[in-house]
Amino acid sequence: MRLEKVELFLTSMELVQPFRTHLETVKDRESILIKVTDADGYSGWGEVVAFSTPWYTEETIETAWHMLTDFFVPVVFESEWESPREWSAALERFKRNPMAKAGLEMAAWDLFAKRSGVSLSSYIGGDRTTVKAGIVVSVDTPERMLSMVGERLQEGYERVKVKIEPHNDVEMLKMIKSAYPDLALLADANSAYSLKDAERLIELDSLGLLMIEQPLDSDDIVEHAELQKHLSTPICLDESIVSLQDAKNAIMLGSCRVMSIKIGRVGGLADAIAIHDLCEENDIPVWCGGMLETGISRAFNIALATLPNFTIPGDISASSRYWKRDVTIPEVTVENGEIKVPTEPGIGYQVDEVYVNQISKRTKTITNNT
């Protein structure tokens, strides 16, 4: 396959309601949507899930745009390609910037699956017809968070993640577990704690949480290993795992008992699959994390979650949970806590290109002869 054209769309979409963590409140979500087209007329879509400011990782939408236009896109015009894994390998010459790399690499997976005439889930070896849906409740008052949990359960979600911080954790979680004792509940700290808070985190052991996600620093693996020794509740690593090597190190040190995999955070679908396989070999269950994505990334998450070691419902919810209108046709829907896995070639959803252009703040088309 030889690539002919890459189109970039810097989009902005307003969330149905603001998404709050202790680090940031997101009201308007910028993304870079990427369309690649080959010489035979096949097209694939990807998405850069970096945020507008560097609160989650050091990448931003603007840095990703720069890396794509000045470095990454020229590379994929250099050769003919036999598989999307070759794109991933070709981009390894550049350090870091995993979300920018992932957005471009994802488009290759969609393209190659379409060229093969199979769904993306089948193309990567998935074998599920549905995946379990999970939901995230952002930081708010304990009463409001309890109310939101109830609303999500009525919608059929079986696993709920709530954001916590040192001043909004133990009592709020006790309130939720008291109201819903059988709920599969996990707490996401987004690095809000340090080892000095170990006793406070140990208090959570009595609540029977599914896990505590990323309690300590976003780039830490060593101190998480120390904390896990004192917790019966599994620690899940998120921000700390940005590569396959990070995953290997965390498993070797005993830093976690669960791992969240986000395609954008680890640099693409190839590395996400490799981390899944590594965790499966080491009896570490995994789940698919979310990034306030459009339906394009959501479709990739659905496909990824069809692999066998995704045994915990991920942050994969209905489009309407975040957007009044999504960029995919049809939108992602949840029925009885599950999402049907598309069977059409590629990601299985059409992209509404008219709408994408309407919500784009900037576009750029790069051709092979540019």
Side-chain angles (χ1 to χ4, degrees), residues 87-282:
W87 282 33
S88 181
L91 295 175
E92 287 179 0
R93 73 179 76 168
F94 303 107
K95 293 185 180 297
R96 302 186 184 277
N97 298 281
M99 292 182 178
K101 289 177 180 177
L104 188 58
E105 187 241 30
M106 289 161 68
W109 285 93
D110 184 30
L111 172 63
F112 274 93
K114 287 173 179 173
R115 287 179 62 90
S116 299
V118 299
S119 67
L120 180 61
S121 61
S122 296
Y123 192 70
I124 66 173
D127 60 1
R128 292 184 175 127
T129 57
T130 64
V131 297
K132 295 284 188 181
I135 200 70
V136 184
V137 173
S138 62
V139 171
D140 210 317
T141 66
E143 293 76 17
R144 179 57 185 152
M145 293 178 77
L146 176 63
S147 175
M148 287 190 285
V149 168
E151 292 171 9
R152 301 292 86 83
L153 292 178
Q154 289 180 359
E155 293 169 359
Y157 292 97
E158 297 182 9
R159 190 235 69 189
V160 176
K161 178 168 80 174
V162 296
K163 298 289 185 177
I164 62 171
E165 55 188 341
H167 302 295
N168 191 21
D169 51 12
V170 178
E171 294 307 317
M172 178 266 293
L173 291 168
K174 285 182 178 179
M175 183 185 299
I176 295 173
K177 286 297 286 186
S178 177
Y180 306 104
D182 298 325
L183 172 64
L185 180 67
L186 69 96
D188 183 6
N190 288 117
S191 305
Y193 300 81
S194 72
L195 279 182
K196 294 178 182 179
D197 302 305
E199 291 302 320
R200 189 172 189 87
L201 292 168
I202 289 170
E203 283 189 65
L204 303 181
D205 269 346
S206 64
L207 301 180
L209 298 177
L210 196 60
M211 67 191 82
I212 301 172
E213 184 180 350
Q214 199 68 39
L216 307 181
D217 283 346
S218 60
D219 60 355
D220 172 74
I221 290 176
V222 175
E223 290 189 348
H224 278 98
E226 180 62 26
L227 179 62
Q228 183 66 91
K229 294 176 184 177
H230 302 285
L231 288 174
S232 60
T233 305
I235 287 176
C236 171
L237 288 184
D238 176 12
E239 291 96 321
S240 293
I241 308 299
V242 298
S243 68
L244 178 62
Q245 187 60 52
D246 286 335
K248 291 178 179 178
N249 293 344
I251 292 171
M252 185 180 299
L253 291 173
S255 306
C256 63
R257 296 177 190 158
V258 182
M259 208 170 287
S260 164
I261 300 178
K262 295 177 179 175
I263 298 171
R265 196 194 66 232
V266 302
L269 190 55
D271 281 345
I273 295 169
I275 292 171
H276 162 275
D277 295 347
L278 174 71
C279 288
E280 185 175 33
E281 293 166 6
N282 288 274

Side-chain angles (χ1 to χ4, degrees), residues 7-9 11 13 29-36 44-51 61 64 68 98-108 110 263-265 267-268 291-301 323 326-328 347 351:
E7 298 169 79
L8 306 178
F9 305 85
T11 61
M13 297 168 64
R29 180 64 161 112
E30 289 187 321
S31 305
I32 300 173
L33 306 184
I34 303 174
K35 180 183 180 182
V36 301
W45 286 85
E47 178 178 354
V48 176
V49 295
F51 289 97
I61 286 295
L68 285 163
M99 292 182 178
K101 289 177 180 177
L104 188 58
E105 187 241 30
M106 289 161 68
D110 184 30
I263 298 171
R265 196 194 66 232
M291 290 287 293
L292 306 179
E293 306 105 326
T294 74
I296 294 172
S297 283
R298 208 170 296 269
F300 276 90
N301 293 346
W323 317 115
D326 207 342
V327 301
T328 51
I347 61 174
V351 176

Side-chain angles (χ1 to χ4, degrees), residues 1-2 7 15 17 31 66 179 264 301 306 315 324 355 360:
M1 184 277 292
R2 177 170 287 277
E7 298 169 79
L15 288 159
Q17 60 186 42
S31 305
H66 161 56
N301 293 346
T306 63
D315 290 342
K324 291 181 180 178
Y355 183 55
S360 291

